[in-house]
């Protein structure tokens, strides 16, 4: 199998290394807006670099992995679909609903596969939480608390391109909430703060956000995120039911300390970033993609799944701006589309 990797930045490099080691992947073609970066990575991995995206399609590949800036995702997804190629793409499909729906439409018209990169679906803690909920171990689920806290903020130049905290960061929590519980969000109330570094205000973004979400079975969920968690990188989900309560993401590297005299000590080596924390999950999602390409399994996270997470992010952004409850039915792109 020959796979084209478009984008060789931080996550693209990680994915290329993973695929280069995979027993069912014979070779890679790498390309990037910075050709020298793609060439350097290709040399390190013993793979081939292409001068541009056109060559990926001209030279012939069996599948495409897209890890470019978000603004290029939808166009590349459409081009791959028209070429009859299965695609793995980092989230999101696009930063707006029209672009997302257009790309999904191209994939569905072509009958190709689009697997989205929501890696928490492959993390052992989150899969364990899903199994506990679906098995009935917790009884009736009544409360979910989800959080994503980055240790350090991204570069200022990235913020205007990110789509904002809800679309760039909390979208992972929204997808995990749906996937773990098996229920849909019906309404949200969200708030945000830009009281941190001025670069967030300059970009029209927030550095910290929170949302209260109601699921279609009455379960209440909260989702919080910040770009400024100095203790470390902290991603968790707590689920409480009438019979039991569990947590995903709590281990000896979780950057949290107890003030209780008999509480656990602070982590001696806290998580610092997403590649470190979710490395095995990233590898597992690409292994799943190879199986999808080979026709050995169903798509574990298609474009419609990504669309629903984006709709929740859109609802949260609208709620924050207008300071009101927003029902998901107000956001285009529901299951009937």
């Amino acid at each position: 199998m020959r796979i084209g990797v478009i984008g060789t930045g931080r996550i693209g490099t990680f994915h290329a290394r993973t695929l280069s080691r995979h027993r069912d992947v014979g070779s890679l073609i790498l390309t990037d807006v910075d050709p020298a970066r793609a060439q350097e990575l290709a040399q390190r991995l013993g793979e081939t670099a292409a001068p541009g995206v056109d060559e990926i399609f001209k030279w012939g590949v069996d599948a495409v992995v897209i890890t470019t800036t978000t603004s290029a995702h939808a166009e590349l997804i459409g081009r791959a679909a028209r070429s009859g190629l299965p695609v793995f793409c980092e989230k999101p499909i696009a930063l707006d609903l029209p672009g997302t729906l257009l790309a999904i439409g191209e994939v569905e018209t072509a009958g190709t596969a689009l697997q989205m990169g929501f890696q928490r679906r492959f993390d052992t803690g989150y899969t364990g939480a899903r199994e506990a909920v679906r098995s009935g171990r917790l009884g009736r689920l009544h409360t979910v608390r989800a959080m994503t806290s980055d240790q350090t903020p991204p570069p200022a130049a990235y913020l205007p391109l990110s789509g904002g905290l809800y679309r760039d960061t909390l979208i992972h929590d929204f997808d995990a909430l749906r996937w773990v519980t098996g229920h849909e969000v019906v309404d949200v109330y969200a708030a945000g703060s830009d009281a941190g570094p001025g670069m967030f205000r300059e970009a029209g973004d927030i550095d910290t956000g929170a949302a209260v979400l109601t699921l279609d079975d009455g379960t209440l969920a909260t989702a919080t995120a910040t770009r400024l968690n100095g203790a470390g990188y902290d991603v968790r989900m707590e689920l409480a039911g009438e019979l039991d309560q569990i947590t995903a993401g709590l281990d000896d590297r979780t950057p949290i300390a107890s003030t209780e005299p008999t509480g656990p000590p602070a982590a001696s080596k806290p998580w610092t970033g997403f590649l470190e924390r979710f490395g095995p999950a990233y590898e597992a999602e690409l292994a799943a993609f190879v199986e999808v390409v080979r026709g050995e399994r169903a798509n574990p996270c298609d474009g419609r799944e990504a669309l629903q997470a984006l709709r929740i992010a859109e609802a949260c952004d609208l709620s924050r701006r207008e300071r009101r409850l927003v029902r998901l039915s107000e956001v285009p792109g529901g299951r009937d589309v």
Side-chain angles (χ1 to χ4, degrees), residues 70 201 214 251 289:
T70 297
R201 291 183 292 279
T214 304
D251 59 19
F289 178 61

Side-chain angles (χ1 to χ4, degrees), residues 147-215:
M147 64 179 295
T148 295
S149 300
D150 292 330
Q151 184 175 28
T152 54
Y158 173 75
L159 294 176
L161 309 174
S162 72
L165 190 69
Y166 296 109
R167 296 181 188 84
D168 185 51
T169 301
L170 276 166
I171 196 167
H172 280 290
D173 297 274
F174 300 150
D175 179 71
L177 178 62
R178 296 180 59 251
W179 184 73
V180 169
T181 67
H183 289 280
E184 299 294 342
V185 173
V186 295
D187 59 47
V188 307
Y189 190 90
S193 170
D194 63 1
M199 65 181 185
F200 291 98
R201 291 183 292 279
E202 293 167 7
D205 197 3
I206 55 176
D207 58 72
T208 304
V212 177
L213 311 99
T214 304
L215 306 189

Side-chain angles (χ1 to χ4, degrees), residues 111-140:
T112 54
L114 167 61
Q115 180 182 329
M116 295 302 300
F118 284 103
Q119 85 284 355
R120 293 185 199 180
R121 293 180 177 224
F122 297 88
D123 176 74
T124 54
Y126 280 83
T127 56
R130 186 177 193 265
E131 290 165 4
V133 171
R134 303 300 181 92
S135 71
R137 169 184 158 187
L138 307 186
R140 184 186 69 86

